[in-house]
Amino acid sequence: MAKYDETSIKILEGLEAVRKRPGMYIGSTDKRGMHHLVWEIVDNAIDEVINGYGNHIKVIINNDGSVTVADNGRGVPTGMHESGKSATEVIYTILHAGGKFTEDGYKVSGGLHGVGASVVNALSKYMQVLSYRDGKICMIEFENGGKVKSPLKEVGKTNKTGTIVKFLPDPEIFKNCNFSFTTISERMQETAFLQNGLTIDVIDEADKKEARYHYDNGLISFVEYMNEDKEQLHKVISFSNTKNKIEVDIAMQYTSSYNESILSFVNNVKTVDGGSHEVGFKTGITKAFNDYAKNNNLFKGKDTSLDGADVREGLTAVISLKIPEELLQFEGQTKGKLGTPEARSVTESITYESLKFFLEENKEVALTILDKAMKSKVAREAARKAREEARNGKNKSKLEKILSSKLAPAQSKNPKINELFLVEGNSAGGSAKGGRDRKFQAILPLRGKVINGEKASLDELLKNEEINTIIHTVGAGVGQSFDASESNYDKVIIMTDADVDGAHIQVLLLTFFYRYMRGLIEDGKLYLAMPPLYKLDYGKKRFYAYTDEELNEIKNSNPGKCTIQRYKGLGEMNPEQLWETTMNPDTRSLIRININDASLAEKRVSVLMGDKVEPRKDWINENVEFTMEDDYRI
Ligand code: 1YM
């Protein structure tokens, strides 16, 4: 039995604060927040590996909705703390207790993470910690948000060392959430890339799925993985150096694609919003390529230099820095941006010097990349001219003609309330035009096949009629000149049939928006409509089911005779039905597209737009990086 004295009351107050405002500690209480709990515990295991103890981590999604994380490090401390409690109890019940025990230079945790194991305990219905240490297995259990269920005790002998933590998130806090094997595996794979030699197993007991990640070539493997579905122009270039106590590791490779994808990490934490190290890297490569081109007389005619964007076309790079804690500065609301000014100059000079040396030694690679950069410059010039001409009215009348024949505009001109539906096919477009609320809803039917934005360059894209129509209807530019705040619509809603073709069109459109109007996604203005899959008629009563599960639920809670219609396409619904089920803001469901994680989105988009069909279907089903937002599900 736990005894409640003054300190334990204080501790409970601390944990209670976490339970009252979970968002402050883990960001949110949706699926994403629940996965934060896993990252917290895994981060502790990784810290142990970084400190030189252990080389194997297991993450198990258990059948009962709990997660187990195990490592083979030293085992969490079990001795007596000055408070009279076991060190283990202190670590798992006092907020930020970790710091007092650790003396290492680089910590894995930064930003939102690293708020500690006690936060996970506070948000768990049940937690068990096993420490294998000093020949003994010791166990402590907690329940209901960190209350000691049974204090630390020896439960066996062992010749192993390590820590096993099992926790069950409190269902009162995380409603209707479950752990995703895909989300956990993808993150663990990234971790394994950054930690050479570490093995991470991810096991899903419920779905009987397993994955093992282990890399001996770190960042090189990472870049190879990111580019495996693309045409690579040369072997991965990698370099490392340390200056002013800042350690820089970089791997980079060009592919024949038109996109740039740069990922960066600081002390193993992803800097989603970049920062000084990325700026330094970009300046470094621009300088290195320009110097090389100049010194080898590669510039022709009036060209005298390449822009940063030119030398980044088709570039995949991973940048990883280790910065001592006293120099660490993070910026931005989510602390995803590195501020440390020294990181810029250090990364720039290491990049410039290493790349300069590499280019001199590898003439063929240098010429391949520079040839691509020069072509990029020409293509971007052409695209800019085309845009200007469109703006200055050269092709305006032709476009306006196309637009007026296709677009059913909204009566309102208010971009804060207007919605644009991109609708697959003409017949569905007709129903949508008939069913909409014309005050604020506009319909743009898409007829031809949407061009694949992954494979086409910007000037090719601009020649595609469907894409052109979308760009001009949204009215906020495209590519580098895109500005989401100029969008004519508050919501752009992709409405397709719930079949494979519809899924394909969704992916093509999402790829286009992701590559060329990313700001629209970042501002939360891009959505997928959710048309129903079934109509159930019970005499006078009618239901719509949007998933197979819902169909069963409706059938179970409404026994009796009914006729079920499976909708094969939007065209089978009349305008009223389409309005009622899919377009009416009061009753519809929308999926808001968000980029949780640009690297995953990046990888996913290139995988999906390759030739494989299966992963595309899985993706549509799982919505891994474009998450379902519960708020929009009625
Ligand atoms: C499955 C999760 O938490 N492993 C883990 C945690 C710790 C240690 C070892 C550890 C650290 C130190 C000394 C040290 C933690 N220690 C602390 C605290 N795996 C997992 N493995 N001995 C053991 O840093 O000095 C918090 S976690 F607080 F003691 F530092």
Side-chain angles (χ1 to χ4, degrees):
M1 262 306 282
K3 221 175 71 206
Y4 291 101
D5 56 19
E6 211 172 295
T7 46
S8 34
I9 288 169
K10 281 223 175 82
I11 289 166
L12 283 175
E13 278 173 357
L15 296 186
E16 197 47 45
V18 178
R19 290 176 66 81
K20 275 212 184 98
R21 311 182 76 179
M24 296 238 320
Y25 297 85
I26 53 158
S28 59
T29 54
D30 54 7
K31 205 166 165 172
R32 198 169 168 179
M34 198 166 88
H35 283 82
H36 260 294
L37 306 183
V38 182
W39 316 147
E40 286 301 334
I41 302 298
V42 167
D43 279 356
N44 285 339
I46 293 166
D47 266 337
E48 186 67 357
V49 175
I50 291 176
N51 288 336
Y53 305 96
N55 58 3
H56 199 156
I57 296 173
K58 272 188 199 175
V59 184
I60 306 164
I61 305 173
N62 300 304
N63 270 320
D64 63 357
S66 66
V67 158
T68 301
V69 183
D71 69 46
N72 61 348
R74 288 169 291 180
V76 280
T78 50
M80 263 309 182
H81 186 249
E82 57 198 26
S83 63
K85 296 178 181 351
S86 67
T88 325
E89 182 176 331
V90 172
I91 291 166
Y92 285 88
T93 54
I94 298 189
L95 294 177
H96 303 292
K100 288 189 199 110
F101 296 78
T102 45
E103 73 288 333
D104 54 327
Y106 304 129
K107 281 238 218 71
V108 63
S109 10
L112 268 181
H113 320 136
V115 292
S118 53
V119 168
V120 179
N121 197 10
L123 301 175
S124 292
K125 185 80 190 151
Y126 172 76
M127 185 181 233
Q128 179 196 60
V129 181
L130 289 165
S131 177
Y132 291 60
R133 197 179 162 107
D134 304 328
K136 291 185 279 195
I137 307 172
C138 291
M139 179 181 84
I140 185 168
E141 290 176 297
F142 306 90
E143 62 186 358
N144 298 325
K147 301 194 175 82
V148 178
K149 184 180 182 205
S150 69
L152 193 74
K153 60 170 184 264
E154 185 180 328
V155 293
K157 301 276 183 217
T158 181
N159 56 13
K160 294 192 187 125
T161 63
T163 305
I164 305 177
V165 175
K166 177 178 177 173
F167 66 93
L168 177 70
D170 194 330
E172 293 280 314
I173 292 169
F174 303 96
K175 299 202 168 76
N176 297 322
C177 296
N178 40 40
F179 287 113
S180 152
F181 178 76
T182 318
T183 304
I184 294 177
S185 311
E186 284 176 333
R187 171 121 174 179
M188 293 304 104
Q189 182 178 28
E190 200 170 277
T191 303
F193 279 129
L194 294 173
Q195 211 55 57
N196 258 346
L198 167 64
T199 302
I200 308 184
D201 286 320
V202 185
I203 299 160
D204 188 337
E205 293 283 359
D207 283 352
K208 301 276 172 265
K209 284 192 267 195
E210 276 191 52
R212 166 165 287 191
Y213 301 107
H214 175 104
Y215 301 98
D216 288 319
N217 290 321
L219 299 191
I220 297 179
S221 310
F222 202 155
V223 169
E224 283 171 350
Y225 171 75
M226 287 172 73
N227 283 347
E228 72 185 1
D229 306 292
K230 298 180 181 171
E231 186 194 337
Q232 298 147 26
L233 299 184
H234 56 87
K235 284 209 182 103
V236 177
I237 305 168
S238 74
F239 44 88
S240 311
N241 210 337
T242 305
K243 273 189 186 173
N244 302 341
K245 291 204 214 149
I246 297 180
E247 187 186 319
V248 177
D249 281 285
I250 293 178
M252 56 188 277
Q253 185 182 42
Y254 284 85
T255 69
S256 61
S257 83
Y258 297 101
N259 315 297
E260 91 179 53
S261 121
I262 299 174
L263 286 186
S264 61
F265 299 83
V266 172
N267 299 351
N268 288 333
V269 178
K270 182 152 38 188
T271 31
V272 273
D273 302 317
S276 51
H277 51 340
E278 279 194 19
V279 175
F281 170 71
K282 290 178 183 172
T283 317
I285 57 169
T286 310
K287 243 165 88 181
F289 282 114
N290 270 306
D291 280 9
Y292 186 90
K294 215 171 277 164
N295 295 339
N296 292 280
N297 296 319
L298 299 177
F299 287 120
K300 295 189 187 79
K302 57 181 168 43
D303 274 354
T304 50
S305 73
L306 292 161
D307 283 356
D310 300 326
V311 302
R312 292 197 301 273
E313 189 179 284
L315 172 65
T316 301
V318 181
I319 304 168
S320 171
L321 266 68
K322 299 278 161 55
I323 303 181
E325 245 182 313
E326 68 267 19
L327 290 180
L328 269 187
Q329 280 175 38
F330 287 102
E331 295 170 350
Q333 219 174 15
T334 48
K335 301 279 173 238
K337 187 171 181 182
L338 181 67
T340 311
E342 296 90 333
R344 178 185 167 146
S345 48
V346 167
T347 312
E348 179 180 327
S349 76
I350 291 178
T351 302
Y352 174 72
E353 281 154 24
S354 312
L355 198 56
K356 187 176 150 95
F357 180 76
F358 175 89
L359 296 177
E360 275 157 16
E361 298 287 306
N362 297 273
K363 195 170 171 213
E364 219 171 291
V365 180
L367 293 180
T368 309
I369 298 171
L370 278 162
D371 179 54
K372 184 176 166 71
M374 302 217 174
K375 282 191 181 131
S376 149
K377 188 176 166 121
V378 172
R380 282 195 318 114
E381 282 288 314
R384 192 182 52 79
K385 260 197 207 123
R387 268 202 305 274
E388 265 170 19
E389 279 171 8
R391 212 173 279 150
N392 298 338
K394 221 174 169 186
N395 291 319
K396 218 171 180 172
S397 57
K398 185 179 154 215
L399 251 162
E400 268 164 10
K401 234 192 209 154
I402 297 173
L403 263 187
S404 63
S405 69
K406 287 189 176 183
L407 178 75
Q411 287 164 347
S412 146
K413 292 280 166 266
N414 184 352
K416 289 209 173 75
I417 60 159
N418 278 7
E419 299 181 348
L420 174 68
F421 283 83
L422 302 176
V423 185
E424 171 187 4
N426 267 340
S427 70
S431 285
K433 280 182 192 173
R436 72 192 166 127
D437 182 337
R438 57 184 64 239
K439 280 207 276 305
F440 68 102
Q441 293 181 323
I443 310 293
L444 183 65
L446 301 174
R447 245 178 309 131
K449 203 164 175 234
V450 179
I451 189 171
N452 187 343
E454 179 68 12
K455 292 184 182 151
S457 69
L458 183 55
D459 59 329
E460 282 170 322
L461 265 171
L462 291 173
K463 288 187 196 128
N464 176 272
E465 195 176 301
E466 302 299 335
I467 292 292
N468 230 320
T469 320
I470 294 174
I471 295 170
H472 283 84
T473 309
V474 174
V478 65
Q480 283 176 337
S481 72
F482 182 78
D483 179 357
S485 68
E486 298 206 340
S487 168
N488 290 328
Y489 301 90
D490 178 55
K491 293 187 173 66
V492 174
I493 302 167
I494 300 171
M495 186 157 79
T496 61
D497 292 341
D499 62 6
V500 177
D501 282 346
H504 192 191
I505 293 173
Q506 277 182 12
V507 176
L508 286 168
L509 285 171
L510 288 175
T511 303
F512 167 71
F513 283 110
Y514 177 77
R515 292 283 182 228
Y516 296 103
M517 294 194 180
R518 194 172 299 181
L520 203 66
I521 304 181
E522 285 162 353
D523 282 10
K525 290 183 169 163
L526 187 66
Y527 298 80
L528 296 180
M530 287 256 294
L533 292 181
Y534 303 97
K535 182 175 75 173
L536 293 87
D537 274 315
Y538 291 86
K540 272 188 194 148
K541 257 181 42 205
R542 172 173 293 174
F543 296 92
Y544 294 100
Y546 293 80
T547 60
D548 286 309
E549 277 158 28
E550 240 174 56
L551 174 72
N552 289 332
E553 269 168 35
I554 296 170
K555 281 201 290 195
N556 288 340
S557 45
N558 298 282
K561 231 181 83 180
C562 79
T563 49
I564 301 177
Q565 183 190 350
R566 170 139 172 66
Y567 285 122
K568 291 195 202 71
L570 298 168
E572 290 176 33
M573 275 181 264
N574 63 33
E576 290 71 37
Q577 288 169 341
L578 196 58
W579 163 254
E580 195 183 327
T581 60
T582 316
M583 299 178 72
N584 178 353
D586 295 333
T587 50
R588 73 186 175 195
S589 305
L590 292 182
I591 297 172
R592 179 189 263 167
I593 305 302
N594 68 40
I595 304 175
N596 266 344
D597 183 327
S599 82
L600 297 181
E602 175 69 42
K603 167 77 185 163
R604 197 55 59 91
V605 166
S606 43
V607 166
L608 284 167
M609 300 320 296
D611 301 324
K612 298 171 191 156
V613 179
E614 263 322 297
R616 178 160 63 232
K617 271 203 212 150
D618 288 352
W619 175 82
I620 294 288
N621 287 338
E622 293 199 20
N623 276 298
V624 176
E625 79 285 357
F626 299 125
T627 55
M628 282 258 227
E629 281 218 345
D630 287 338
D631 315 13
Y632 292 89
R633 186 95 181 87
I634 310 278

